[in-house]
Amino acid sequence: MVAAASLLGTVALTGCAKASHDGASADGGGPTKITMWTHSAGNPGELAVYRRIIDDFNASQGEYQIVQQNFPQGSYNDAVTAAAAARKLPCLIDMDGPIMPNWAWAGYLQPLDLPASLTDLLLPTAVGTYRGKVHSAGYWDAALSLFARKSVLEKNGIRIPTVEHPWTLAEFDAAVGKLNDSGYKTPLDLGAADKGEWWSYAYSPMLQSAGGDEIDRSGMRTAQGALNGPDAVAFFSWFQKAFKEGWANSDGPVGNQNFIDDKVALSYTGVWNAKDALDKVGSDLLILPPVDFGKGPKIGGGSWQWGISAGCGKAQSEGARKYLEFSFQDKYLTAFSDSQVVIPATAGATAASKYFGPDGALRQFAVLSQKFALARPATPGYPVVSTSFEKAAKDIMNGADVKPALDAAVQAIDSDIKSNNGYGN
């Protein structure tokens, strides 16, 4: 999954320093070497684009040389936290968007200081801001949608929702009921077999659409009222009902296979499953906007982004910025998009994308991202927010009383904030 890397390995450690392998070449001459770490080991398409950017940058000037090192996504966060503890972070590191505030607060990152003329062109969810300063920026974003078959909705007399007129909750419930009656034993796949960051990424936008949130974002000092207030209780009561009534289940498999096999009529999933669905379902595939739970449709945003470590030396930091500025050319963002089926972060790169351009088969995802995507809470306490949210939502799905489960999540989040002196807020 593009946008839902686990945050469980995150540890708040301070005191990072310049990596020992960044700096002048061993013989004292030649370009200054700048090491970059990625989470992309095992992803040949993504690595090929990085290789192209690095080769082009290194060939374009003689002052700096980018040296790439790749880690598997599953062990990447642990590698970063271990390097921070040993004061050996490289200059350039990538990170899943919502983890950036924690790493900035822990002292891993320095402000990015890229030109506003560059960052202002990016999707808002592709730019990570902490305490008013940009600390990370990404080449792409992901987006969520409801997949459906046009023929199935038309056969059952169900209105096809649009970006301008999405389904209301009442319409959605009625549609699911009709699909249930038409023979779909479990008409809806909400992705509940998945785990980890998926839960916050997928379901907190629904909560926001209903009027709640994971935390009170006005000060980031409490979840009281946002995660356990009347709007949150109403949303999670609906969430529990969806499983109790058998509209959805958590049996799996993870992914979109039940929709491909026509075992479910509606699938709440992401752009990473879109190409396969298009290949299997063809022109019958509908990429629908999210449901409006009362306060407007919302989807999650914020994928992998780049930052510069706080301990990176002055000369190396300047080179890292020059590399990043070079790397955000539209041609590279389009290359990532075409290789990875992700939404480019600039309008120019999107226009050139074979999937998301004006005539692209997956253009709807770019529209959904632009109109409905929201970043997860930009707080150093987000790892605890995410895990507490996941636990409460899973408990509620499995039949726990809604309000007490949400109260327990609020208590866990607020206790973490208090124990960290409000994370400086």
Side-chain angles (χ1 to χ4, degrees), residues 303-355:
S303 190
W304 287 85
Q305 300 173 4
W306 281 95
I308 301 174
S309 65
C312 186
K314 182 177 179 181
Q316 290 77 27
S317 294
E318 182 62 27
R321 289 188 180 91
K322 288 183 177 180
Y323 166 76
L324 288 178
E325 189 171 354
F326 180 93
S327 73
F328 274 92
Q329 295 179 60
D330 281 346
K331 63 182 179 181
Y332 300 131
L333 275 60
T334 298
F336 278 122
S337 174
D338 290 350
S339 170
Q340 302 302 111
V341 195
V342 288
I343 302 163
T346 67
T350 301
S353 166
K354 67 180 179 181
Y355 295 116

Side-chain angles (χ1 to χ4, degrees), residues 237-293:
S237 296
W238 173 88
F239 188 76
Q240 186 177 72
K241 176 184 175 183
F243 293 93
K244 184 177 181 180
E245 296 292 331
W247 296 347
N249 63 44
S250 59
D251 295 346
V254 174
N256 198 43
Q257 195 58 45
N258 280 339
F259 177 76
I260 298 297
D261 295 340
D262 202 22
K263 293 180 180 178
V264 298
L266 300 171
S267 178
Y268 183 55
T269 188
V271 66
W272 53 89
N273 285 321
K275 188 174 182 298
D276 182 58
L278 188 65
D279 291 343
K280 302 292 175 53
V281 180
S283 61
D284 202 24
L285 178 67
L286 292 174
I287 300 169
L288 303 179
V291 175
D292 182 354
F293 283 84

Side-chain angles (χ1 to χ4, degrees), residues 101 105 130-131 215-222 378-381 417 420-425:
W105 169 80
Y130 176 63
R131 293 189 176 177
I215 192 170
D216 181 348
R217 299 197 191 204
S218 64
M220 299 290 188
R221 295 185 62 88
T222 181
T379 170
I417 294 170
N420 285 284
N421 297 315
Y423 288 107
N425 292 322

Side-chain angles (χ1 to χ4, degrees), residues 189-223:
D189 185 354
L190 284 173
D194 212 333
K195 60 184 179 180
E197 183 56 18
W198 164 256
W199 280 71
S200 179
Y201 175 68
Y203 307 130
S204 66
M206 293 181 176
L207 171 62
Q208 289 174 277
S209 178
D213 206 339
E214 293 179 295
I215 192 170
D216 181 348
R217 299 197 191 204
S218 64
M220 299 290 188
R221 295 185 62 88
T222 181

Side-chain angles (χ1 to χ4, degrees), residues 96-151:
D96 198 14
I99 206 62
M100 179 279 293
N102 182 273
W103 286 8
W105 169 80
Y108 296 7
L109 303 172
Q110 60 177 285
L112 209 52
D113 286 341
L114 290 178
S117 59
L118 188 160
T119 55
D120 287 350
L121 293 177
L122 304 178
L123 290 169
T125 50
V127 179
T129 301
Y130 176 63
R131 293 189 176 177
K133 294 184 178 181
V134 174
H135 281 70
S136 62
Y139 305 125
W140 65 76
D141 206 350
L144 294 166
S145 169
L146 278 168
F147 287 5
R149 286 173 170 83
K150 182 178 181 181
S151 60

Side-chain angles (χ1 to χ4, degrees), residues 333-417:
L333 275 60
T334 298
F336 278 122
S337 174
D338 290 350
S339 170
Q340 302 302 111
V341 195
V342 288
I343 302 163
T346 67
T350 301
S353 166
K354 67 180 179 181
Y355 295 116
F356 304 101
D359 299 319
L362 304 180
R363 171 70 180 175
Q364 177 79 336
F365 276 105
V367 175
L368 297 179
S369 180
Q370 291 161 6
K371 290 188 69 70
F372 301 134
L374 296 173
R376 281 152 281 179
T379 170
Y382 181 74
V384 173
V385 171
S386 177
T387 55
S388 301
F389 180 90
E390 178 185 6
K391 183 181 186 306
K394 284 184 173 178
D395 288 347
I396 290 167
M397 175 184 71
N398 291 321
D401 290 342
V402 173
K403 185 64 162 61
L406 296 177
D407 287 341
V410 168
Q411 182 177 9
I413 293 166
D414 284 9
S415 293
D416 174 70
I417 294 170

